[in-house]
């Protein structure tokens, strides 16, 4: 039986009306946002004018792409509750650190991108390495979102995957090219609410199907993987370690520290949303506001994956066979659950939610790709000192080019049965060593420009080497263990190489590092005076971060 017939959703006219209405809104927002684009800063950073609640929701929605929705539901189906570590350990602490500690440096220095911060701290070689690696990573990740967006169109309409890929790409390209980052951000806010409205009913109906939460516990306990899938710790299957102590260390250090902080604090896809805020206070609150919905996303993403693994016959058989054979993969968990449980109308809303999530993810990749490629590569190294209008037009053409490349990289994503394996591998290559360079450079004034780029290249090479050793069977790291170990090794090697190189090369003068190194930056530059409308206790970044951290600790205790 062909895959598309197994997954085919029986959509009717009412479902198509819901989907079409959504697309009208999406393109309408792009058209309206175009009116506010008069220069390149408007196009790439929304003129730094948006309120914190908008950028906070966009911050999370930008991450609610293929990684979060299909990837995490696939992880839920395969591993169960240990998947919550990607949220409570692997996201929230780093998001709070970004808001409290790092955003004052990003926003206060008025840089236009993360690579531009690297340029000021370490010079051109580190800047070029970071800009190129970031641009490559974004078109690879955009390919993931595009592939899954095309899969939905294929399942819904029966179009060939390649036609679906192109159609999906054109829609996203349209509103990003029209309205730039503002179009992306306002659509991401809309998409956040659409995604929740789609996945919450699916979770409720799914729990009813398996006899409530207790019924889910009973069925998961009786399934392959057993009761270990019901508690977050120690998460051996997810980490790839048989030893529980090593598993906890791998999750806390590899995922919770290196991969998580590497992603959330240095990834321009996320940081760009905060940099579009109207002032320093709003920029700091952006990731902290985003942390509150983030901690509850597992309940509408992971739980449906777990339900699908015990309620959908094809997925049950696939899991029982050890993840081999059959016509489905773990990535199909949400689609299969939607197919079996949702009536028409609600099905249309669920499909719209999936489309919204993939479009939000891809739009975030493209809007950050066009900024870095235009500002950090073209303007810096190829076509200098041209008019602002030239760079605005260039940004739009770069968006087109990025979309075309993403169509090609979508083919790579199609080769993975669990896309989280692929994504975490990419993060270990690109984000883990970048975080090591960033954190050392921000807190150690002696770190030199040469150490910046040599450490970065050494760390990335180490992560790639661990991947090759794992793929060739030299080391045995099932699950996502290879990416955790690769990230940890990349981080350690980057730090060691950077320290050694710094000892034998000359550091910048301290006066050149004000605003770039924590100890050399006056406190008044690292904080903000409360502006108009920012005086309420609930607008204080540090207090909000403390509340969020406390809630995450409670969730870990309850579900640990």
């Amino acid at each position: 039986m062909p895959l598309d017939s197994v997954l085919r959703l029986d959509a009717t006219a009412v479902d198509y009306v819901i989907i079409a209405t959504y697309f009208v809104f999406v393109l309408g927002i792009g058209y309206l946002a175009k009116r506010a684009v008069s220069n390149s800063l408007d196009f790439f950073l929304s003129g730094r004018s948006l309120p914190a609640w908008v950028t906070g929701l966009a911050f999370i929605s930008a991450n609610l792409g293929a990684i979060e929705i299909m990837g995490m539901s696939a992880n839920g189906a395969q591993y169960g509750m240990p998947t919550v570590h990607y949220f409570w350990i692997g996201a929230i602490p780093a998001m709070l650190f970004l808001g409290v500690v790092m955003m004052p440096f990003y926003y206060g220095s008025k840089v236009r991108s993360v690579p531009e911060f690297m340029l000021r701290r370490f010079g051109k070689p580190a800047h070029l390495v970071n800009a190129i690696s970031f641009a490559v990573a974004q078109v690879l990740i955009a390919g993931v979102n595009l592939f899954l967006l095309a899969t939905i169109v294929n399942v819904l309409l029966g179009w060939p995957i390649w036609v679906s890929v192109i159609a999906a790409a054109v829609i996203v390209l349209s509103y990003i090219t029209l309205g730039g980052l503002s179009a992306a951000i306002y659509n991401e806010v809309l998409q956040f609410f659409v995604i929740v409205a789609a996945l919450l009913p699916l979770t409720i109906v799914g729990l009813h199907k398996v006899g409530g939460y207790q019924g889910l516990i009973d069925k998961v306990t009786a399934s392959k993987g057993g009761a270990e899938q019901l508690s977050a710790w120690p998460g051996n299957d997810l980490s790839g370690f048989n030893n529980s102590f090593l598993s906890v260390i791998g999750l806390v250090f590899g995922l919770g520290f290196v991969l998580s902080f590497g992603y959330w604090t240095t990834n321009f896809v996320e940081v760009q949303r905060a940099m579009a805020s109207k002032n320093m206070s709003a920029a700091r609150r952006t990731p902290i506001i985003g942390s509150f919905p983030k901690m509850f996303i597992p309940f509408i993403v992971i739980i449906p994956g777990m339900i699908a693994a015990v309620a959908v016959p094809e997925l049950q058989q696939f899991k029982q066979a050890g993840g081999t054979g059959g016509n489905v993969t773990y990535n199909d968990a949400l689609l299969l659950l939607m197919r079996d449980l949702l009536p028409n109308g609600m099905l249309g809303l669920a499909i719209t939610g999936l489309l919204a999530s993939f479009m939000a993810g891809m739009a975030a990749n493209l809007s950050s790709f066009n900024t870095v490629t235009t500002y950090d590569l073209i303007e810096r190294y190829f076509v200098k000192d041209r008019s602002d209008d030239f760079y605005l037009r260039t940004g739009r053409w770069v968006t087109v080019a990025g979309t075309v490349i993403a169509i090609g990289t979508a083919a790579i994503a199609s080769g993975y049965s669990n896309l989280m394996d692929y994504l975490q591998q990419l993060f270990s290559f690109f984000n883990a060593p970048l975080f090591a360079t960033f954190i050392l450079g921000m807190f150690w004034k002696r770190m030199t420009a040469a150490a910046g780029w040599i450490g970065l290249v050494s760390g990335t090479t180490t992560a790639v080497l661990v991947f090759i050793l794992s793929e060739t069977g030299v080391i045995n790291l099932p699950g996502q263990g290879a990416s955790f170990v690769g990230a940890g090794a990349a981080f350690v090697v980057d730090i060691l190489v950077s320290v050694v190189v710094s000892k034998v090369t000359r550091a910048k003068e301290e006066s050149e590092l004000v605003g770039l190194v924590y100890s050399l930056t006056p406190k008044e530059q690292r904080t903000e005076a409360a502006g108009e409308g920012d005086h309420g206790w609930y607008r204080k970044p540090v207090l909000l971060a403390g509340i969020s951290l406390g809630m995450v600790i409670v969730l870990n205790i309850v579900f640990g």
Side-chain angles (χ1 to χ4, degrees), residues 226-280:
E228 285 186 10
Q229 298 176 86
L230 294 169
S231 56
W233 299 99
N236 294 37
D237 286 344
L238 181 67
S239 68
F241 292 103
N242 293 323
N243 182 289
S244 295
F245 176 76
L246 289 178
S247 178
V248 172
I249 294 298
L251 287 169
V252 172
F253 181 69
L255 173 63
F257 181 59
V258 179
L259 278 171
S260 169
F261 277 68
Y263 177 81
W264 292 101
T265 66
T266 66
N267 185 4
F268 185 54
V269 172
E270 304 299 335
V271 173
Q272 187 181 27
R273 271 83 198 134
M275 289 171 71
S277 302
K278 64 181 181 178
N279 57 33
M280 174 82 83

Side-chain angles (χ1 to χ4, degrees), residues 377-389:
L377 293 174
I378 294 173
E379 182 182 6
R380 181 71 57 182
Y381 298 104
F382 296 102
V383 187
K384 303 178 182 180
D385 303 322
R386 298 291 291 272
S387 67
D388 186 77
D389 187 56

Side-chain angles (χ1 to χ4, degrees), residues 131-216:
I132 292 173
S133 66
F134 177 83
V136 170
Q138 292 323 296
V139 290
L140 287 171
I141 298 170
V144 175
N145 286 299
L146 186 54
F147 169 70
L148 286 173
L149 182 52
T151 302
I152 303 299
V153 176
N154 169 259
V155 168
L156 180 64
L157 301 176
W159 295 357
I161 282 286
W162 70 270
V163 175
S164 306
V165 164
I166 293 172
V170 167
I171 294 168
V172 178
L173 177 64
S174 298
Y175 72 79
I176 296 294
T177 306
L178 282 171
L181 183 62
S182 292
I185 284 179
Y186 281 112
N187 264 313
E188 283 159 6
V189 173
L190 169 66
Q191 286 155 347
F192 173 81
F193 290 108
V194 171
I195 291 163
V196 172
L199 295 181
L200 185 60
L202 181 65
T203 306
I204 294 170
V205 173
L207 283 171
H208 179 74
K209 165 80 172 177
V210 296
Y213 190 67
Q214 187 58 48
L216 177 62

Side-chain angles (χ1 to χ4, degrees), residues 3 28 114 176 188 297 307 314 318 335 342 346 400 403 411 473 513 535:
L3 178 64
V114 169
I176 296 294
E188 283 159 6
I297 294 294
I307 293 169
E314 297 99 323
F318 180 75
L335 288 175
L342 295 185
M346 194 179 287
V400 175
T403 306
L513 299 175
H535 292 281

Side-chain angles (χ1 to χ4, degrees), residues 207-435:
L207 283 171
H208 179 74
K209 165 80 172 177
V210 296
Y213 190 67
Q214 187 58 48
L216 177 62
I217 290 173
D218 295 339
K219 286 181 169 57
V220 169
T221 303
S223 70
K224 186 177 177 64
E228 285 186 10
Q229 298 176 86
L230 294 169
S231 56
W233 299 99
N236 294 37
D237 286 344
L238 181 67
S239 68
F241 292 103
N242 293 323
N243 182 289
S244 295
F245 176 76
L246 289 178
S247 178
V248 172
I249 294 298
L251 287 169
V252 172
F253 181 69
L255 173 63
F257 181 59
V258 179
L259 278 171
S260 169
F261 277 68
Y263 177 81
W264 292 101
T265 66
T266 66
N267 185 4
F268 185 54
V269 172
E270 304 299 335
V271 173
Q272 187 181 27
R273 271 83 198 134
M275 289 171 71
S277 302
K278 64 181 181 178
N279 57 33
M280 174 82 83
S281 176
R284 295 183 76 193
R285 280 183 279 128
T286 292
I288 299 169
I289 289 171
S291 72
F292 289 97
K294 177 74 175 178
M295 69 181 74
F296 296 106
I297 294 294
F299 298 109
I300 59 172
V301 174
I302 297 170
I303 297 296
M306 295 172 67
I307 293 169
V310 297
V312 177
E314 297 99 323
L315 204 56
Q316 279 181 289
Q317 294 168 13
F318 180 75
K319 187 168 184 176
Q320 197 63 39
T324 57
N327 294 310
V328 299
T329 68
Y330 291 118
N331 291 327
D332 303 320
L334 273 186
L335 288 175
L336 290 164
L337 202 63
M338 287 163 52
R339 180 201 67 184
D340 289 356
L341 299 185
L342 295 185
N344 293 115
M346 194 179 287
L347 179 62
L349 181 61
I351 294 168
T352 303
L354 286 182
L355 292 172
S357 73
F358 305 148
M359 289 170 68
M362 185 182 173
N365 298 135
L366 287 177
S367 60
S368 56
F369 171 81
N370 66 26
T371 303
V372 168
T373 303
T374 304
Y375 277 155
D376 292 290
L377 293 174
I378 294 173
E379 182 182 6
R380 181 71 57 182
Y381 298 104
F382 296 102
V383 187
K384 303 178 182 180
D385 303 322
R386 298 291 291 272
S387 67
D388 186 77
D389 187 56
F390 171 82
Y391 294 114
L392 175 59
R393 291 197 310 272
T394 300
R396 289 195 162 109
W397 281 111
V398 166
T399 309
V400 175
T403 306
V404 172
I405 297 169
I407 291 172
T409 62
I412 301 174
S414 66
Y416 283 77
S417 64
N418 184 337
L419 283 166
M420 275 309 297
D421 295 346
Y422 176 53
L423 267 301
Q424 291 304 318
Q425 207 66 67
L426 291 179
F427 293 153
S428 74
F429 293 167
F430 299 115
N431 291 351
L434 179 59
F435 173 61

